[in-house]
């Protein structure tokens, strides 16, 4: 997938076009649009230049790679600007002096003057505020400049010589005869390859590599003048790309004005919409307008100056400044007068209005003999309003067969506006008495008149349908959901009796329990009860002060599970007490872990928000309102401390779809599923997968089918799976069974499965998807993504989310490993413990990563190895370079250890949750990134090397600017002091809890408190003062206001010191200090009996505070006033610190894409260094990968078994394996414990490691790429699902035989052992026969049924190999693990039984029985 396709579209080819196709397309386009051929068409010259520039970029592999990955912007930043003129490029193909066509179109090419590099264009978006005030923007530019080392020669002086074959032109003129005509054409000179110069490789400039130019960065200062208009261009002459022999190119910035939320601009005038009420329009008042220069304009409407609806007034000279002259335009204000709702008046108020307002207009009175009918006003629908406003007959034209004026079907349904892609101004609430109410979902009249899907499809394609507003688009049969009705003014209607519904009336729906029926709880408990009803599937945690609390049945049910004491909260008199349990707010993560991760519960967190005065009155004096801000589930964790940092926390959405289903409803038709056993016909059901990790912002999708879904679930390893309830019941139950089998939480999302347009995803992405990218997603992927994002948005409750653009995982791009192979090969976890990365797993054996994000990337690569040869070789090339350069690898690893988890760190800021500590961690990570980039730049690697390519992917300039700003703003020492203060505050809550337990708890409750906790929380004296040293997280110089505030605070502190000296002298008490004590305020404090007596006798003190024999506090008016001023300044300082902190957060979000790009490079470096370290430690070799079907391994080893044996001091015996076209299947026999299973597994693991990009445990390895890997090893039953061991074995075998292709690799161990020998042999041979004749894949087949070797004698591409036992003196024996050609017909089971400790008498019985069975078998053979 390429970022942009504009250049490909110009040439008329696809992104995958070959060089020959590009060349052919350019020739056709250049001939068609050449200026000499199209002198009458000036636009052809521009088209000719565009086509030539497109071909120049796409014909250069390096430029094409930059363009495919980053688009045109990447070419400019990567220094790929400039280039050959269009005429010169044309001459290379068609030759000709005197013009590109050699005069074939007459006259030759027009003289265009000296050659000049192309102009680089940039669009600079600025806000209306910046245009109003003027601004200077610093913009970084990467451009090509002439190499200073070789002065643009490309090599040493004198070493560059002009090509004699083409006279330095780079092209040779050739002539050939075609019948009576002689054609002259030009071709690339073979001597210099079209360069015109010849430079020996050793003489090339080592700085530019013979290219004559290098990339240089430069910062340009773009002056945005006051009043500048969109489209204005700022030129920097000669600041563009440089090249030998041509003039320097230019850089041009085009100013583009961003849309403004308040003002609209037209020339130098501003337009503003002000909404006023009717009282202000009639009686006057003030409106306030926030201007563009931080001023507020107060506009007074004089009493009696009546403002009419939509009337426009003007403020002269308050518009935009004109460019250069800076004269100001006008500000026009259009008033929207909002009338009061219907029925707001009483008869008394109407009488008062009649006295105040002008008299009613005299109406025409009908004559006495006229016939009079009485009517009441009715509401007018949208079509009626259009007719009343003079709509043409075209609006009444109906193309769906319904005549104009016919009765329309009306329906009102609840539709999320985002799902239909409507803008806010297109959404209108049906007018009535309760209009303009804030609802989450839109309800309106929907009527296009269609009575069936066929009519609706016809209507959608008509002109009439496109003219309808959104509330008229959809018929009733498309929508479901409750109807919200609004009460309007009184109206009359007449209905005929026959039109009333006939038959028995349905009983009214039972209403939910009303608050009025509940006890009269206090407001806090009513808020809790309402939240519990609204989020009835969640445990509700309510913030009350410094605690999170549960009430009612939640406290009773979950309090004991959380080891919390359940108390009874008393409310008002006459109201029963309520069960309650709670914990301090700083222990939220601890209890969330138990509820969410251990108990798999959904948790709704209700936070408290301060009420404004009006809300405080409405709530009965309550200071806080409590609202649910987030629903926490296992799949929606963000930055909780209990998350595993070494693995992703994925949330997965699954949506099945049959392609013959109506796509608008996405309903899967019933399919027969028998006892949850995999049905081969399920392949017809496509499944869309979409999964994301909120902690890192990763977002991925994949199309698959229902039969491959179990393997996808095991590979992704999601913590929570979301499934729509709108799909068919049977399919939903089948998928639910698969999810439960994987022991994942299944969430059923309610909804009718309506598709959310992919364009609506952009609000949750860091950058929007292009139209071409949107078109690549399949229907099922889109539905799954819609389901996923909708669920996340509901759980986040309005919290901003910025995810990475979705990446598509395609089936052909990765090796598919089914769930049985993941488990049987113990790739990510051991089969016994089931812990990811546990000892004994492949992940544990090869993990040498030093960063958390690098470990997550390694796990992802292991679960989904690549199947693309270029990707694999690029990874192997990186490992090879790092393996050779040990010093560089150690330097990179040392720096990586100092970096933070940048992926999760940056995502915290993307969700608005980053704090000062995160900024410090980000600062250190940016410094580490810069250091690694510097190390890579200093290493002399070729331009095509992987390390060089990685270093070019770093984007450091803006990141370093951000790091500098963070370093200059945040005070790390102050931040540490702030943390110590927080720990001290936390200790106070623990002390309070200890006090409660001492008075009300039991001895066991006190014992539950850790002695360490009690030791760290010493009791403090109530009179102990707060420390005077405030902890500030920002440096004093972080902003000018902050510096000014700190200066003022320092002056007040000096005044306090002066006041302290004065009071000490007046009282004579040298111990006097001025303090702030919590609960007492600002007091004077003395200690010592003498000073206490002196202070009590002195008249300077105010009223007395607390007093003891050795200390006393009293108040002083001057100190109280001074302390209040200091408190106010401290509050202002903390507010300014928060403002600076928010500014830094926003700067991080601005650099979000670049920071994530840098983090991805660090992760790849970490994995590459880990693979290199592993290869060095274990003696791994680089595999040779190709697209053949061969598998040649010399001295292969099992990576985990080898390490286990080495820990015991034993050696591992390596084995060769040559499976391919000649010998597609190896049939392996041998004794128990002889190493057959190990041999099978080690070859499967070699495939996985090789395609992951790692070196492999062997002496030599040539591997043909595998598309799927299957294993059938081990034995286990599934009694819960009524499956025996043999049934489980057959299910796994069925998957292999149904899905394996000729490019797959299969290992099968002991097929048919769970039944009788005869049946087992038959089943085993059938599987072997199917693998050989039908699947035709590479396979290793181990068995104890030796007769299979006889049955398969006619299989030309099957070979038999075996292990053996070496007998020793005295009954001793040893295993010969080295494979050799042949069949071993002795399993030596009794030897293994003796080693296991079976009693000797049982061994002898078994031996006797075996001899008897052997004799019977021999006699049978003789008789036959």
């Amino acid at each position: 997938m390429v970022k942009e396709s504009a250049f490909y579209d110009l040439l008329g080819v696809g992104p995958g076009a070959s060089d020959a196709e590009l060349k052919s397309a350019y020739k056709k386009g250049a001939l068609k649009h050449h200026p000499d051929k199209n002198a009458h068409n000036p636009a052809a010259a521009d088209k000719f230049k565009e086509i030539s520039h497109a071909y120049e970029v796409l014909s250069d592999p390096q430029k094409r790679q930059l363009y495919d990955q980053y688009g045109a912007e990447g070419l400019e930043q990567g220094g790929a600007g400039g280039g050959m003129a269009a005429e010169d490029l044309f001459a290379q193909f068609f030759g000709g002096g005197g013009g590109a066509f050699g005069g074939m179109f007459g006259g030759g090419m027009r003289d265009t003057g000296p050659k000049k590099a192309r102009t680089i264009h940039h669009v600079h978006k600025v806000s209306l505020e910046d245009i109003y005030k003027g601004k200077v923007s610093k913009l970084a530019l990467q451009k090509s400049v002439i190499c200073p080392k070789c002065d643009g020669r490309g090599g040493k002086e004198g070493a560059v010589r002009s090509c004699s074959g083409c006279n330095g032109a780079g092209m040779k003129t050739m002539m050939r005869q075609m019948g009576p005509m002689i054609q002259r054409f030009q071709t690339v000179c073979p001597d210099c390859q079209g360069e015109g110069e010849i430079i020996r490789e050793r003489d090339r400039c080592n700085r530019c590599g013979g290219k004559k130019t290098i990339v240089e960065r430069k910062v340009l200062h773009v002056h945005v003048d006051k009043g500048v208009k969109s489209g204005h261009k700022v030129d920097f002459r000669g600041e563009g790309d440089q090249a030998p022999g041509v003039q320097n190119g230019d850089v041009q910035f085009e100013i583009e004005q961003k849309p403004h939320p308040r003002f609209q601009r037209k020339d130098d005038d501003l337009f503003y919409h002000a909404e006023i009420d009717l009282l202000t329009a009639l009686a006057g008042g003030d409106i306030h307008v926030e201007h563009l220069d931080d001023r507020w304009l107060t506009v007074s409407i004089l009493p009696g100056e009546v403002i009419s609806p939509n009337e426009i007034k003007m403020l002269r000279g308050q518009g935009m400044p004109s460019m250069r002259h800076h004269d100001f335009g006008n500000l026009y204000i259009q008033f929207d007068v909002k009338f009061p709702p219907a029925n707001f008046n009483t008869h008394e108020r109407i009488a008062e209005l009649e006295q105040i307002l002008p008299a009613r207009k005299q109406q025409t009175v009908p004559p006495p003999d006229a016939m009079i009918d009485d009517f009441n006003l009715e509401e007018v629908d949208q079509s009626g309003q259009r007719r009343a406003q003079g709509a043409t007959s075209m609006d009444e034209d109906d193309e769906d067969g319904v005549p104009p004026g016919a009765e329309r079907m009306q329906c009102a349904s609840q539709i999320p506006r985002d799902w239909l892609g409507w803008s806010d101004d297109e959404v209108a609430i049906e007018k009535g008495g309760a209009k303009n109410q804030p609802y989450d979902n839109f309800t309106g009249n929907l009527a296009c008149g269609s009575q069936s899907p066929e009519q609706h499809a016809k209507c959608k394609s008509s002109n009439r349908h496109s003219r309808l507003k959104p509330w008229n688009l959809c018929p009733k049969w498309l929508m479901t959901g409750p109807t919200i009705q609004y009460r309007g003014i009184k109206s009359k209607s007449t209905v005929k009796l026959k039109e009333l519904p006939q038959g028995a009336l349905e009983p009214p729906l039972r209403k939910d329990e009303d608050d009025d029926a509940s006890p009269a709880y206090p407001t806090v408990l009513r808020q809790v009860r309402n939240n519990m009803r609204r989020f009835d599937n969640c445990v509700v945690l309510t913030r009350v002060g410094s605690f999170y609390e549960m009430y009612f049945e939640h406290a009773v049910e979950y309090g004991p599970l959380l080891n919390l004491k359940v108390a009874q909260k008393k409310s008002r008199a006459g109201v029963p007490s309520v069960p309650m349990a709670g914990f301090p707010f700083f222990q939220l993560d601890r209890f969330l872990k138990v509820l969410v991760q251990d108990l798999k519960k959904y948790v709704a967190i209700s936070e408290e928000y301060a009420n404004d005065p009006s809300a405080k009155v409405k709530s009965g004096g309550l200071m806080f309102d409590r609202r649910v801000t987030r629903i926490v589930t296992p799949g929606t964790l963000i930055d909780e401390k209990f998350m595993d940092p070494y693995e992703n926390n994925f949330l997965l959405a699954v949506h099945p779809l049959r392609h013959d289903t109506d796509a608008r409803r996405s309903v899967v038709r019933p399919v027969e599923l028998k006892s949850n056993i995999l049905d081969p016909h399920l392949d017809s059901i496509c499944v869309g997968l979409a999964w994301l990790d909120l902690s890192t912002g990763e977002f991925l999708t994949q199309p698959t089918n229902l039969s491959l879904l179990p393997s996808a679930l095991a590979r992704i390893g999601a913590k929570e799976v979301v499934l729509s309830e709108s799909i068919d019941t049977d399919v939903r139950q089948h998928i639910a069974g698969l999810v439960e089998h994987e022991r994942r939480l299944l969430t059923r999302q309610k909804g009718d499965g309506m598709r959310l347009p992919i364009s609506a995803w952009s609000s949750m992405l860091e950058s929007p998807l292009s139209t071409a990218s949107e078109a690549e997603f399949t229907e099922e992927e889109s539905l799954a993504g819609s389901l996923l994002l909708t669920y996340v948005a509901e759980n986040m409750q309005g919290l901003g989310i910025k995810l990475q653009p979705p990446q598509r995982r395609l089936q052909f791009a990765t090796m598919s490993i089914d769930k049985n192979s993941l488990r049987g090969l113990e790739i990510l976890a051991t089969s016994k413990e089931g812990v990811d990365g546990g000892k004994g797993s492949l992940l544990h054996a090869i993990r040498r990563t030093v960063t958390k994000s690098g470990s997550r990337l390694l796990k992802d690569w292991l679960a989904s190895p690549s199947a693309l040869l270029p990707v694999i070789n690029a990874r192997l090339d990186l490992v090879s370079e790092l393996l050779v350069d040990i010093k560089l690898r150690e330097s990179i690893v040392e720096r990586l250890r100092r970096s933070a988890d940048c992926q999760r760190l940056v995502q915290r800021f993307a969700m608005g949750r980053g704090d000062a500590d995160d900024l410090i961690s980000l600062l250190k990570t940016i410094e580490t990134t810069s250091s690694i980039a510097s190390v890579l730049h200093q290493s002399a690697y070729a331009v095509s090397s992987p390390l060089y390519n990685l270093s070019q992917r770093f984007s450091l300039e803006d990141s370093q600017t951000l790091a500098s700003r963070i370093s200059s703003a945040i005070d790390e020492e102050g931040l540490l002091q702030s943390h110590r203060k927080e720990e001290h505050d936390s200790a106070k809550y623990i002390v309070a809890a200890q006090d409660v337990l001492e008075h009300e708890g039991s001895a066991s409750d006190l014992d539950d408190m850790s002695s360490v906790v009690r030791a760290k929380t010493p009791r403090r004296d109530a009179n102990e003062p707060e420390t005077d040293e405030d902890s500030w997280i920002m440096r004093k110089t972080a902003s000018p206001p902050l510096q000014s505030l700190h200066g003022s605070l320092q002056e007040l502190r000096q005044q306090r010191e002066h006041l302290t000296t004065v009071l000490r002298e007046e009282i004579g008490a040298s111990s006097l200090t001025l303090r702030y004590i919590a609960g007492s305020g600002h007091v004077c404090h003395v200690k010592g009996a003498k000073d206490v007596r002196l202070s009590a006798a002195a008249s300077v003190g105010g009223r007395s505070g607390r007093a003891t024999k050795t200390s006393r506090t009293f108040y002083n008016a001057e100190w109280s006033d001074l302390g209040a001023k200091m408190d106010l300044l401290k509050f202002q300082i903390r507010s300014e610190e928060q403002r600076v902190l928010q500014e830094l957060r926003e700067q991080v979000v601005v650099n979000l894409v670049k920071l994530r790009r840098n983090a991805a490079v660090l992760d790849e470096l970490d994995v590459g260094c880990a693979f290199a370290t592993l290869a060095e430690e274990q003696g791994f070799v680089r595999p040779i990968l190709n697209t053949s079907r061969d598998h040649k391994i010399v001295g292969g080893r099992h990576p985990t078994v080898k390490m286990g044996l080495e820990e015991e001091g034993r050696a591992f015996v390596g084995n060769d394996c040559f499976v391919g076209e000649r010998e597609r299947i190896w049939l392996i026999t041998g004794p128990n414990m002889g190493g057959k299973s190990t041999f099978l597994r080690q070859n499967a693991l070699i495939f996985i490691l090789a395609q992951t990009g790692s070196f492999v445990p062997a002496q030599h390895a040539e591997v043909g790429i595998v598309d799927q890997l299957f294993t059938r090893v081990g034995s286990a039953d599934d009694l819960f699902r009524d499956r025996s061991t043999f049934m489980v074995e057959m299910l796994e075998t069925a998957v292999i035989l149904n899905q394996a292709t000729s490019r797959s690799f299969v290992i099968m161990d002991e097929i048919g052992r769970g039944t009788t020998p005869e049946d087992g042999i038959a089943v085993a041979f059938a599987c072997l026969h199917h693998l050989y004749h039908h699947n035709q894949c590479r396979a290793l087949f181990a068995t104890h049924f030796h007769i299979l070797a006889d049955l398969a004698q006619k299989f030309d591409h099957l070979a038999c190999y075996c292990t053996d036992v070496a007998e020793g003196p005295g009954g001793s024996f040893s295993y010969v693990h080295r494979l050799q050609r042949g069949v071993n017909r002795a399993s030596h089971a009794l030897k293994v039984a003796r080693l296991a400790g079976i009693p000797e008498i049982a061994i002898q019985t078994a031996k006797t029985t075996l001899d008897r069975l052997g004799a019977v078998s021999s006699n049978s053979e003789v008789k036959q």
Side-chain angles (χ1 to χ4, degrees), residues 645-647 850-857 901 1163 1166:
Y646 295 100
E647 64 177 64
V850 296
T851 66
K852 300 177 180 65
S853 53
S855 297
R856 295 195 298 268
L857 180 63
D901 190 346
D1163 293 345
D1166 189 17

Side-chain angles (χ1 to χ4, degrees), residues 55-56 69 142 162 302 350 388 474 588 695 711 718 829 923 1276 1296:
Y55 176 76
E56 180 196 2
Q69 191 169 2
Q142 283 188 328
S162 178
L302 301 178
I350 292 175
C474 209
L588 176 62
S695 67
S711 299
L923 167 64
I1296 297 174

Side-chain angles (χ1 to χ4, degrees), residues 37 81 135 182 213 228 274 406 439 443 515 569 735 833 861 926 955-956 1154 1160 1202-1203 1207 1217 1278 1318 1372 1408 1411:
K37 187 179 180 182
K135 178 185 179 182
I182 296 178
T213 60
V228 69
Y439 285 92
T443 300
D515 287 342
K569 181 179 179 66
I735 296 177
E833 297 178 0
W861 284 5
I926 295 175
S955 181
L956 297 175
K1154 296 177 181 177
K1202 175 180 178 293
M1203 293 181 184
E1207 289 181 0
C1217 182
D1278 190 358
E1318 293 79 7
S1372 63
T1408 303
D1411 293 340

Side-chain angles (χ1 to χ4, degrees), residues 454-573:
E454 292 75 14
Q455 286 190 12
H456 186 66
K458 181 180 179 182
C459 179
K460 287 178 65 177
S461 62
S462 67
N463 293 330
R464 174 191 173 277
H465 194 285
S466 62
R467 294 194 300 271
L468 291 177
K469 292 296 183 182
W471 50 84
N472 292 104
L473 280 181
C474 209
K476 188 173 183 179
W477 48 262
L478 252 182
M479 316 302 298
T480 60
T483 300
I484 300 178
Q485 297 179 348
Y486 298 91
R487 186 174 184 135
I489 62 175
K490 239 181 222 183
S491 61
K492 288 183 179 180
S493 61
T494 303
V495 182
K496 296 180 181 180
L497 181 62
K498 64 180 182 180
E499 294 177 352
L500 293 174
Q502 306 297 315
L505 298 178
E506 296 182 0
L509 296 176
R510 183 178 63 85
K511 292 184 177 181
D512 293 335
E513 182 183 358
D514 194 10
D515 287 342
D516 297 337
S518 303
Y521 290 123
T523 307
V524 174
L525 294 181
R526 289 205 305 271
Q527 291 174 342
V528 173
R529 175 56 78 185
N530 290 337
N531 285 333
M532 290 175 64
R533 289 172 182 165
R534 182 183 174 192
F535 304 96
D536 54 355
N537 64 332
C538 301
V539 181
V540 178
L541 298 180
T542 305
R543 180 72 179 265
V544 182
S546 300
F547 289 83
Y548 282 103
E549 298 177 352
M550 296 179 291
Y551 296 94
F552 301 104
E553 58 268 25
H554 285 179
V556 176
E557 181 178 358
Y558 299 108
L561 296 176
L562 299 175
N563 201 23
L564 297 174
K565 184 175 181 179
V566 180
Q568 294 295 321
K569 181 179 179 66
K570 297 181 180 180
S571 54
R572 57 181 63 137

Side-chain angles (χ1 to χ4, degrees), residues 1321-1342:
I1321 291 172
V1323 170
F1325 179 73
C1327 294
L1328 187 62
H1329 183 277
H1330 197 280
L1331 288 174
Y1332 185 88
H1333 290 284
H1334 297 278
N1335 302 109
Q1336 297 185 2
C1337 59
R1338 288 164 284 181
L1340 300 178
F1341 198 100

Side-chain angles (χ1 to χ4, degrees), residues 389-689:
Q389 293 169 1
T392 64
S393 60
M394 184 180 295
D395 291 13
E396 288 295 315
D397 184 22
D398 198 329
E399 301 181 15
D400 59 1
V402 181
E407 183 179 358
R408 302 288 180 176
M409 178 178 63
Q410 301 288 331
C411 67
S413 302
Q414 215 168 15
I415 310 167
R417 64 178 73 178
D418 292 338
W419 283 35
L420 296 178
W422 299 347
S423 61
D424 292 339
D425 57 347
E426 290 178 319
V427 177
I429 300 298
E430 193 176 13
K431 292 185 177 180
K435 61 184 177 181
N436 298 327
Q437 295 296 324
Y439 285 92
D440 293 336
N441 295 324
F442 158 70
T443 300
N445 282 338
L446 309 173
C448 69
S450 302
Q451 303 293 328
S452 67
E454 292 75 14
Q455 286 190 12
H456 186 66
K458 181 180 179 182
C459 179
K460 287 178 65 177
S461 62
S462 67
N463 293 330
R464 174 191 173 277
H465 194 285
S466 62
R467 294 194 300 271
L468 291 177
K469 292 296 183 182
W471 50 84
N472 292 104
L473 280 181
C474 209
K476 188 173 183 179
W477 48 262
L478 252 182
M479 316 302 298
T480 60
T483 300
I484 300 178
Q485 297 179 348
Y486 298 91
R487 186 174 184 135
I489 62 175
K490 239 181 222 183
S491 61
K492 288 183 179 180
S493 61
T494 303
V495 182
K496 296 180 181 180
L497 181 62
K498 64 180 182 180
E499 294 177 352
L500 293 174
Q502 306 297 315
L505 298 178
E506 296 182 0
L509 296 176
R510 183 178 63 85
K511 292 184 177 181
D512 293 335
E513 182 183 358
D514 194 10
D515 287 342
D516 297 337
S518 303
Y521 290 123
T523 307
V524 174
L525 294 181
R526 289 205 305 271
Q527 291 174 342
V528 173
R529 175 56 78 185
N530 290 337
N531 285 333
M532 290 175 64
R533 289 172 182 165
R534 182 183 174 192
F535 304 96
D536 54 355
N537 64 332
C538 301
V539 181
V540 178
L541 298 180
T542 305
R543 180 72 179 265
V544 182
S546 300
F547 289 83
Y548 282 103
E549 298 177 352
M550 296 179 291
Y551 296 94
F552 301 104
E553 58 268 25
H554 285 179
V556 176
E557 181 178 358
Y558 299 108
L561 296 176
L562 299 175
N563 201 23
L564 297 174
K565 184 175 181 179
V566 180
Q568 294 295 321
K569 181 179 179 66
K570 297 181 180 180
S571 54
R572 57 181 63 137
V575 178
S577 59
V578 173
M580 179 196 74
F583 53 85
F585 72 94
F586 55 83
Q587 293 184 333
L588 176 62
D589 278 351
R590 169 189 169 190
F591 291 99
L592 274 182
K593 179 184 184 301
V594 179
L595 288 171
V596 177
Q597 207 169 58
D598 300 340
L599 299 179
K600 300 291 189 264
K601 299 296 180 183
Y602 309 107
V603 178
I605 300 178
S606 176
E607 297 289 354
E608 55 186 14
Y609 296 88
N611 278 329
D612 56 23
S614 61
K616 192 178 297 183
V617 172
K618 293 179 182 178
S619 63
L622 200 65
M623 296 182 62
F624 297 97
D625 181 27
R626 290 168 177 84
R627 300 190 299 270
V628 172
T629 59
R630 183 186 166 202
I631 300 174
V632 184
T633 68
T636 56
L637 302 178
I638 301 175
D639 56 359
E640 282 69 21
K641 296 178 181 177
F642 55 84
M643 293 176 62
D644 188 346
Y646 295 100
E647 64 177 64
N648 286 100
N649 195 83
F650 282 130
L651 170 69
L652 170 67
V654 180
H655 201 295
L657 177 71
R658 285 181 68 108
H659 285 293
D660 56 350
T661 305
D662 187 353
R664 287 171 298 192
R665 295 190 58 85
S666 308
V667 178
V668 178
R669 294 180 179 177
V671 61
E672 184 180 3
L673 302 176
K674 302 176 181 179
S675 305
N676 275 337
I677 295 175
L678 192 62
D679 190 335
H681 301 292
L682 295 183
D683 287 340
S684 62
I685 299 180
C686 296
V687 177
L689 303 178

Side-chain angles (χ1 to χ4, degrees), residues 5-40:
S5 61
F7 286 179
Y8 294 100
D9 296 339
L10 280 172
L11 296 176
V13 298
S18 64
D19 292 342
E21 292 171 339
L22 289 173
K23 185 179 296 183
S24 176
Y26 168 72
K27 288 181 178 179
K28 293 178 181 178
L31 283 171
K32 180 179 179 181
H33 297 283
H34 196 276
D36 288 348
K37 187 179 180 182
N38 299 271
H40 61 283

Side-chain angles (χ1 to χ4, degrees), residues 167-238:
N167 295 324
M171 306 295 293
K172 278 189 174 183
T173 302
M174 308 290 291
M175 300 179 66
R176 64 181 175 184
Q177 185 171 359
M178 299 179 63
M181 299 175 59
I182 296 178
Q183 181 187 24
R184 187 176 71 169
F185 63 95
Q186 288 189 336
T187 184
V188 176
C189 176
D191 299 332
C192 61
Q193 302 300 322
E195 295 183 4
E197 297 174 342
I198 297 178
I199 312 174
R200 290 181 300 179
E201 191 64 32
R202 65 184 183 186
D203 293 331
R204 287 184 181 271
C205 176
N206 56 12
R207 183 168 182 181
C208 64
K211 294 183 177 180
K212 304 181 182 179
T213 60
I214 61 173
V215 177
E216 182 182 78
R217 293 188 179 183
K218 184 170 184 179
V219 176
L220 299 179
H221 293 71
V222 181
H223 292 266
V224 180
D225 293 334
K226 294 182 180 180
V228 69
K229 297 178 182 179
S230 284
H232 178 76
K233 295 179 174 59
V234 180
D235 293 323
F236 291 84
R237 301 294 182 185

